[in-house]
């Protein structure tokens, strides 16, 4: 039985950088993107790891993604910065915007980053986790391709529109969640199609609006928001925050612009960062964090309750010691990408 | 058949103010609270209308709510103000904080209001709607009494923890939603108990964690978040934002503090306000609003899709012309409150 290829995290990073470089990505872009893949593999989020490399490659070979564009920073207000990615991928722009965003959140109490014209196929959690490591409470919102029907409707209009949240902790890594506002990830439907498995109830409808658990029918129909009408409200909210608010596209416009069907959406992302110590008199992160720890302890007292990022941090501990295992099929895909470069 | 008592909105306001005054509320507090009730009755949200008067009265006659305390404003950072309600109800503090919050959002690009030590049994939408009427995008978060079990758990820990969002429109009143992160409102369970009706599946569990549709069993057990694990993440997020972030209580602490079982939670609320025109180069609310209107139009093209606040605004149009009808039982309750004052 083929168990896959064991790699250290350093090797994951080298592999990602080599392939990205081979397809024309500048070192800075390749490094920033590879960092997100290393973080994803390390934390057991393999769908955002090396698995994404073909998406990046397709976005530049077939689509209109830029490989060398330098992101440019603007100050729009004392509490607002914008980073224009100029059609490149988001990770480098986010990396460059991190320090200015932290500085403004600390000086103003809270600050916003409007990331624009960015291709984005990475997860949101790495950036909010990094902000929480700097002691900030952080939110991120991004829209994507039109896959999700509005509540009561039939046709795809919203993206899977994830939102992420991070809370700084003192004696533990940040508490983080990163969730699609759709009932399931797009990739989960594709994986179940590949594996011949059905979908869960409530994930999707067919083109006539009838519930379906068949992956192919779902891909031709629409995904559903999580949690019915309320999840749909959040989906719409993310659409507004990542689009009209910052002057970037709606999911449906991202879909229209991807004429080459690269599958890599280009659009906006909104990040908010709050300095907890500026949110109260004598704000004191130790005290605020200790108060939150009381909530987490009360949650964990109940059997069956877990904190959202715990599984990810457990995977991290293992991966830092043992490296990660890359599935044989993915390993072949990567070799083919290298050969074709 | 008794159809209830028809009242103009002016009469609703007078009735509310008279009862609040009779129980010792200062004119400023009575006016601010009455305004929220008039707005609720006007918009067809009767559970937040005159129906709430007994809650206010009980909170001062049995509980520890203050009736005359003046809220005090502090500037914590260029983008952050705090309003201490000193155990009074939220509406006056929110009214007083509105103009400073708008001013800071415009000058800084975004701003936060930490409302502290406030009793709150009103809805969140009036304040975010008012901010959106001033051209801002607004969020509000508040926690409450411990009614909701964390995902996978059995015991009540989170409040019904609502969040609200508002988006300014040009030729229409703001788009607003205000939703509990629980599957249903607390009041809905109480109403179904009173009316002898069962609950929907997924709303609640019994004290052993088994699903129940019996209202009394649900009240002795726990409510559930909407949308399973994802809704529970939002519930936890609201808990952190309205509590530890701003130095106020967790829902479970609000419950512990309400030793008199008045049912009126005292705690924190976080409001965020963003000036859209500061979120992009040449930010232009007309253009940004028009872009959002494209999304709304695409939503409404689909049969069966509605915008979240439409029903409320339709009720408003009717109520401004015809007044509202107060149920006989509520009318009796109000007369009894007056007699007992």
């Amino acid at each position: 039985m083929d168990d896959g290829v064991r790699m250290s995290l350093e090797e994951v990073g080298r592999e990602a950088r080599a392939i990205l470089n081979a397809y024309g990505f500048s070192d800075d872009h390749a490094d920033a993107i590879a960092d997100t893949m290393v973080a994803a593999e390390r934390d057991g989020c393999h769908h955002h790891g090396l698995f994404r490399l073909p998406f990046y490659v397709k976005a530049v070979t077939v689509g209109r993604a830029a490989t060398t564009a330098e992101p440019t920073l603007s100050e729009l207000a004392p509490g607002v910065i914008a980073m224009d990615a100029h059609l490149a991928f988001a990770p480098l722009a986010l990396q460059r915007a991190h320090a200015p965003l932290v500085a403004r959140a600390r000086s103003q109490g809270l600050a916003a980053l409007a990331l624009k014209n960015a291709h984005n196929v990475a997860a949101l959690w790495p950036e909010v986790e990094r902000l929480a490591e700097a002691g900030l409470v952080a939110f991120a919102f991004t829209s994507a391709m039109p896959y999700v029907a509005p509540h009561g409707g039939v046709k795809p209009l919203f993206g899977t529109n994830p939102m992420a949240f991070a809370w700084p902790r003192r004696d533990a890594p940040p508490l983080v969640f990163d969730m699609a506002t759709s009932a399931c990830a797009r990739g989960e439907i594709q994986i179940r199609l590949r594996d011949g498995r059905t979908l869960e109830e409530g994930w999707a409808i067919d083109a006539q609006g009838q519930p379906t658990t068949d992956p192919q029918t779902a891909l031709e129909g629409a995904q559903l928001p999580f949690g019915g009408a309320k999840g749909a409200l959040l989906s719409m909210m993310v659409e507004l925050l990542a689009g009209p608010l910052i002057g970037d596209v709606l999911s449906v416009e991202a879909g229209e612009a991807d004429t080459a069907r690269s599958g890599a959406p280009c659009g906006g992302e909104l990040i908010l960062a709050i300095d907890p110590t500026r949110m109260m008199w004598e704000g004191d992160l130790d005290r605020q964090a200790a108060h939150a720890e009381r909530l987490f302890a009360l949650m964990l007292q109940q059997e069956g309750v877990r904190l959202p990022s715990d599984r990810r941090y457990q995977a991290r501990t293992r991966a830092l010691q043992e490296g990660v295992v890359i599935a044989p099929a993915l390993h072949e895909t990567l070799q083919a990408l290298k050969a074709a470069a």
Side-chain angles (χ1 to χ4, degrees), chain A:
Chain A
M1 180 187 155
D2 192 344
D3 278 326
V5 180
R6 184 166 292 276
M7 297 171 84
S8 71
L9 294 173
E10 290 70 23
E11 287 167 333
V12 169
R14 265 204 303 277
E15 181 83 351
R17 278 191 298 273
I19 292 174
L20 290 165
N21 280 154
Y23 282 89
F25 284 86
S26 69
D27 285 345
D28 283 353
H29 276 294
D31 285 349
I33 294 168
D35 285 353
T36 70
M37 290 180 188
V38 170
E41 294 287 354
R42 179 196 67 194
D43 287 9
C45 309
H46 302 297
H47 293 150
H48 285 104
L50 293 173
F51 173 78
R52 293 273 158 168
L53 268 172
F55 294 74
Y56 287 91
V57 168
K58 192 172 177 193
V60 300
T61 53
V62 175
R64 61 197 180 109
T67 51
T68 60
E70 285 291 309
T72 51
L73 182 76
S74 319
E75 174 169 315
L76 302 184
V80 184
I81 56 175
M83 187 64 97
D84 191 329
H86 300 293
L87 303 187
F89 280 92
L92 181 61
L94 289 172
Q95 196 183 86
R96 296 270 175 85
H98 174 78
L101 181 61
V102 170
R104 276 165 182 78
R106 287 184 181 149
S107 65
Q108 305 304 308
L110 73 169
L113 164 66
L115 173 63
K116 292 188 52 172
N117 300 315
H119 281 83
N120 199 2
V121 296
L124 293 179
W125 60 260
E127 180 53 22
V128 293
E129 183 180 316
R130 188 158 46 175
L131 289 164
E133 281 169 352
L136 305 177
V137 174
F139 305 80
F141 309 91
T142 193
S143 57
M145 306 291 270
Y147 293 141
V148 175
H151 186 68
V154 167
K155 284 191 216 137
L157 179 59
F158 302 140
T160 52
N161 291 7
M163 64 173 283
F165 173 77
W167 177 269
R169 301 179 70 183
R170 297 311 256 178
D171 301 314
L175 178 123
V176 179
F177 68 78
D178 177 357
M179 62 181 211
T181 54
S182 51
C184 72
R186 188 69 173 177
E188 186 63 29
I189 298 180
Q190 288 156 337
I191 286 165
R192 294 204 181 196
L193 175 66
R194 182 193 71 191
D195 298 349
R197 294 159 61 209
T198 58
L199 309 181
E200 306 298 316
E201 303 276 350
W203 283 10
I205 49 178
D206 67 20
Q208 284 71 47
Q210 296 306 308
T212 184
T213 58
D214 175 61
Q216 186 59 43
T217 308
L219 292 174
E220 291 158 10
Q223 290 183 241
L224 291 174
F226 90 93
K230 290 184 180 186
L233 292 173
L234 295 171
S235 191
M236 179 194 65
M237 179 186 83
V238 172
E239 198 74 29
L240 292 168
L241 297 177
L245 178 65
I246 63 172
D248 215 309
V249 293
L250 302 171
S251 292
V252 71
E253 294 163 343
E256 287 161 2
D258 184 29
T259 50
R261 308 235 164 206
S262 75
C266 182
E269 177 176 341
L270 174 69
I271 296 184
L272 302 177
I274 301 176
D275 183 349
T277 66
R278 308 300 300 271
M279 294 299 291
M280 50 188 288
W281 275 119
E282 301 176 0
D284 171 341
L285 190 52
D286 283 332
R287 193 151 53 95
Q288 287 164 296
H291 194 190
E293 292 303 320
R294 181 172 187 224
L295 178 68
F296 304 149
L298 287 167
M299 289 171 66
L300 294 173
Q301 263 176 22
Q302 296 194 35
E303 201 181 341
V305 177
R306 270 202 313 232
L307 297 185
S309 24
D310 275 3
R311 204 185 323 210
R312 200 160 55 73
Y313 291 131
Q314 285 161 10
R316 181 179 302 187
T317 303
R318 273 197 310 277
L320 289 169
Q321 290 167 357
E322 304 167 12
V324 294
V325 174
I326 305 304
L330 175 58
H331 191 255
E332 277 172 38
T333 301
L334 300 182
Q335 303 319 309
L337 273 183
K338 278 198 257 190

